[in-house]
């Protein structure tokens, strides 16, 4: 049994100065450092330009707060990747923090799609959008099974399938940091059963797969309502970042000890990690441009004399109470259902307004009023008229 993880770093540390003997000491590492830093600055400038344009045209807070969170993804990845390249001996800590924002971005994208669907319905009554949906096949690879969107538990399950990643991904990262401190993570031995990395990676892979599948299912279910909003382009700009960062790390790992060799101050793991971080810094420049196009501000523009302050949008974008309230609403539904106290009978069509927290009449009938219990079970609304929920404690 392996008792200890091999060190990711060499014992000797490069003692030379960046400014060697009055001249720039341009070795390969410092050239990469300069490239990573320049690309990071460029990514931040492009992304902040897009962010500030949305802040100055903040006309639909319920949609744009989610867009701002998504637009932060390239600069967050670039800044953390540059830091992990610069301080390569503590790379594992940086990369564990970096991927947490992936969970926030996927969840923000789901809530954005919900707002888009609500906007297509008369009076923002999203029950109109779902009551026409019939039983259909699940997307690949589970196309041999069928589902009925009008089941009450289905929509709560779909929402939870994405939002669970906001809990699991940070928890995995915290566990990874603790294991790294105690030399139990051992990223260099991915398939070793004696260290924590393989178990944490398996849990993370399962969680992100469920979240991605839930998003794909919702996109397929509401494709008619999302026409003209370019949902595929928006999703692709997020998905490509996830795919590039994952597959390029696999490629560098394959080259490890074959093409990539250790040096005096850099182990093979250091070089692989550095190449991955450098590649991310470069890629984020292009992804920030892609996101500026996919999440254009044009549909939100207002006249110059009606420009909004940037402070409320920035606060809304970092206030994640809407995530907490939605997770709480979904958990409450399943808890009450398990206890047999839910007022929604499985055979009835789902009240989509309750399932996704957007205002609207019950699908059981135009004249049927919601019960007190059904109101109590509903999570916070997403509509603009209920944005105060973002700063209010959860109702019981």
């Amino acid at each position: 049994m392996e008792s200890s993880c091999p060190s990711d770093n060499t014992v000797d540390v490069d003692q030379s100065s960046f400014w060697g003997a009055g001249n720039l000491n341009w070795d390969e590492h410092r050239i990469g450092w300069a490239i990573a830093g320049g690309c990071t600055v460029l990514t931040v400038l492009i992304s902040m330009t897009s962010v500030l344009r949305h802040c100055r045209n903040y006309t639909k807070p319920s949609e744009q707060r989610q867009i701002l969170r998504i637009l932060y993804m390239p600069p967050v990845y670039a800044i953390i990747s540059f830091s992990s390249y610069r301080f390569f001996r503590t790379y594992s800590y940086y990369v564990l923090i970096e991927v947490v924002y992936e969970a926030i971005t996927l969840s923000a994208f789901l809530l954005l799609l919900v707002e888009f669907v609500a906007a297509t319905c008369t009076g923002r009554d999203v029950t109109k959008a779902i009551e026409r949906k019939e039983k259909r096949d699940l997307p690949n690879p589970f196309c041999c099974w069928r589902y009925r969107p009008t089941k009450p538990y289905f929509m709560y399950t779909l929402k939870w399938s994405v939002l669970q990643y906001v809990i699991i991904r940070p928890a995995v990262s915290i566990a990874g940091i603790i294991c790294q401190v105690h030399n139990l993570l051992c990223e260099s031995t991915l398939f070793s059963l004696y260290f924590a990395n393989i178990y944490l990676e398996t849990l993370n892979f399962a969680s992100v797969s469920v979240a991605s599948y839930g998003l794909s299912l919702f996109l397929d279910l509401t494709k008619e309502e999302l026409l003209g909003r370019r949902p595929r382009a928006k999703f692709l700009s997020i998905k490509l970042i996830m795919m590039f960062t994952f597959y390029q790390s696999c490629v560098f790992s394959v080259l490890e000890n074959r093409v990539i060799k250790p040096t005096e101050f850099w182990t093979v793991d250091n070089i692989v990690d550095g190449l991955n971080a450098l590649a991310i810094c470069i890629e984020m420049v292009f992804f920030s441009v892609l996101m500026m196009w996919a999440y254009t501000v044009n549909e939100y523009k207002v006249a110059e004399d009606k420009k909004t302050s940037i402070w409320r949008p920035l606060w809304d974008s970092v206030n994640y109470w809407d995530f907490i309230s939605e997770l709480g609403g979904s958990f409450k539904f399943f808890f009450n259902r398990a206890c047999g106290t839910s007022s929604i009978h499985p055979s009835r069509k789902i009240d989509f307004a309750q399932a996704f927290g957007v205002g609207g009449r019950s699908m059981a009938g135009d004249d049927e009023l919601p019960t007190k219990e059904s109101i109590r079970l509903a999570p916070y609304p997403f509509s603009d008229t209920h944005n105060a929920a973002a700063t209010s404690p959860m109702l019981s």
Side-chain angles (χ1 to χ4, degrees):
M1 177 177 176
E2 298 178 55
S3 58
S4 63
C5 177
S7 176
D8 292 335
N9 301 308
T10 60
V11 175
D12 296 327
V13 180
D14 186 1
Q15 300 296 325
S16 64
S17 169
F18 187 88
W19 309 93
N23 299 311
L24 285 176
N25 185 15
W26 287 109
D27 59 12
E28 293 86 347
H29 175 53
R30 290 175 174 84
I31 292 173
W33 183 6
I35 294 172
C39 289
T40 298
V41 171
L42 187 55
T43 297
V44 170
L45 290 175
I46 295 171
S47 297
M48 288 304 101
T49 298
S50 188
V51 165
L52 291 176
R53 291 179 69 192
H54 274 281
C55 289
R56 294 290 284 150
N57 297 272
Y58 200 56
T59 54
K60 295 183 179 179
S62 57
E63 293 181 11
Q64 288 175 280
R65 70 187 303 172
Q66 310 303 340
I67 290 175
L68 291 176
R69 291 166 178 169
I70 295 169
L71 290 174
Y72 293 153
M73 191 179 190
V76 166
Y77 267 55
I79 292 170
I80 296 179
S81 293
F82 170 73
S83 301
S84 66
Y85 185 92
R86 171 64 182 85
F87 306 104
F88 63 91
R89 297 176 73 87
T90 53
Y91 176 87
S92 295
Y93 298 108
Y94 287 101
V95 75
L96 286 168
I97 297 171
E98 178 183 77
V99 292
V100 170
Y101 204 80
E102 178 183 299
I104 294 174
T105 304
L106 287 178
S107 300
F109 183 67
L110 172 67
L111 304 192
L112 177 63
L113 292 181
V114 171
E115 288 298 331
F116 284 166
V117 173
T120 65
C121 306
T122 304
R124 298 187 66 84
D125 183 0
V126 292
T127 60
K128 306 291 186 185
I130 200 63
E131 64 187 2
R132 301 185 300 270
K133 308 298 181 181
E134 300 296 335
K135 191 173 183 179
R136 61 186 65 199
D137 295 334
L138 283 167
N140 290 324
F142 303 109
C143 52
C144 54
W145 283 289
R146 293 170 63 81
Y147 71 98
R148 191 181 298 278
T150 51
K151 292 290 185 180
Y153 53 81
F154 171 77
M155 286 302 179
Y156 279 102
T157 303
L158 188 146
K159 182 169 60 175
W160 181 258
S161 73
V162 179
L163 294 178
Q164 52 81 26
Y165 195 44
V166 178
I167 298 176
I168 294 179
R169 179 65 262 190
V172 168
S173 289
I174 292 171
I177 290 172
I178 294 172
C179 291
Q180 179 72 4
V181 169
H182 295 282
N183 200 33
L184 297 173
L185 184 63
C186 205
E187 291 183 297
S188 60
T189 55
L190 176 61
F191 299 107
S192 174
L193 299 178
Y194 300 109
F195 297 102
N197 191 55
I198 187 172
Y199 304 106
L200 295 179
E201 286 298 321
T202 300
L203 178 59
N204 178 59
F205 178 78
S207 179
V208 71
S209 297
V210 170
S212 298
Y213 190 81
L215 280 172
S216 298
L217 193 152
F218 187 69
L219 282 169
D220 179 70
L221 179 66
T222 58
K223 56 187 175 183
E224 293 87 0
E225 289 75 20
L226 294 173
L227 285 175
R229 306 306 294 265
R230 296 188 298 176
R232 299 291 177 184
K234 290 178 169 63
F235 188 36
L236 187 63
S237 65
I238 299 170
K239 194 71 174 176
L240 284 176
I241 294 177
M242 297 167 58
M243 290 174 60
F244 269 72
T245 54
F246 174 76
Y247 286 113
Q248 75 192 12
S249 65
C250 293
V251 170
F252 290 134
S253 296
V254 170
L255 298 177
E256 190 172 333
N257 290 319
R258 295 177 176 85
V259 177
I260 301 174
K261 303 293 183 180
T263 64
E264 181 183 0
F265 301 114
W266 283 49
T267 65
V268 172
D269 291 326
N270 290 152
I271 297 173
V272 167
D273 294 341
L275 288 173
N276 193 42
L278 177 60
I280 291 174
C281 290
I282 296 171
E283 291 159 2
M284 289 308 113
V285 175
F286 300 99
F287 284 124
S288 61
V289 174
L290 176 60
M291 282 198 169
M292 177 181 282
W293 169 77
Y295 296 91
T296 178
V297 74
N298 292 340
E299 58 188 286
Y300 303 104
K301 273 190 172 181
V302 295
E304 193 64 34
D305 59 339
K306 295 183 179 179
K307 296 291 185 182
T308 54
S309 169
I310 67 171
W311 302 114
R312 182 199 166 187
L314 292 176
W315 167 247
D316 284 351
S317 67
V318 297
N319 180 7
Y320 295 105
W321 188 257
D322 53 336
F323 283 9
I324 298 172
S325 63
E326 284 307 311
L327 284 167
S330 296
F331 178 80
K332 184 181 291 186
F333 171 82
F334 287 114
F335 179 80
N336 281 280
R337 187 175 180 82
C339 295
T341 58
S342 175
S343 64
I344 304 175
H345 193 276
S347 63
R348 289 175 52 189
K349 284 190 173 183
I350 183 174
D351 186 335
F352 191 81
Q354 292 177 3
F356 271 116
V358 190
R361 292 176 299 178
S362 171
M363 291 182 60
D366 290 344
D367 298 327
E368 181 178 338
L369 296 175
T371 64
K372 291 182 179 179
E373 180 65 8
S374 65
I375 294 174
R376 187 179 67 82
L377 287 174
Y380 276 134
F382 283 106
S383 58
D384 292 342
T385 58
H386 293 81
N387 270 330
T391 55
S392 302
M394 194 186 310
L395 298 176
S396 58

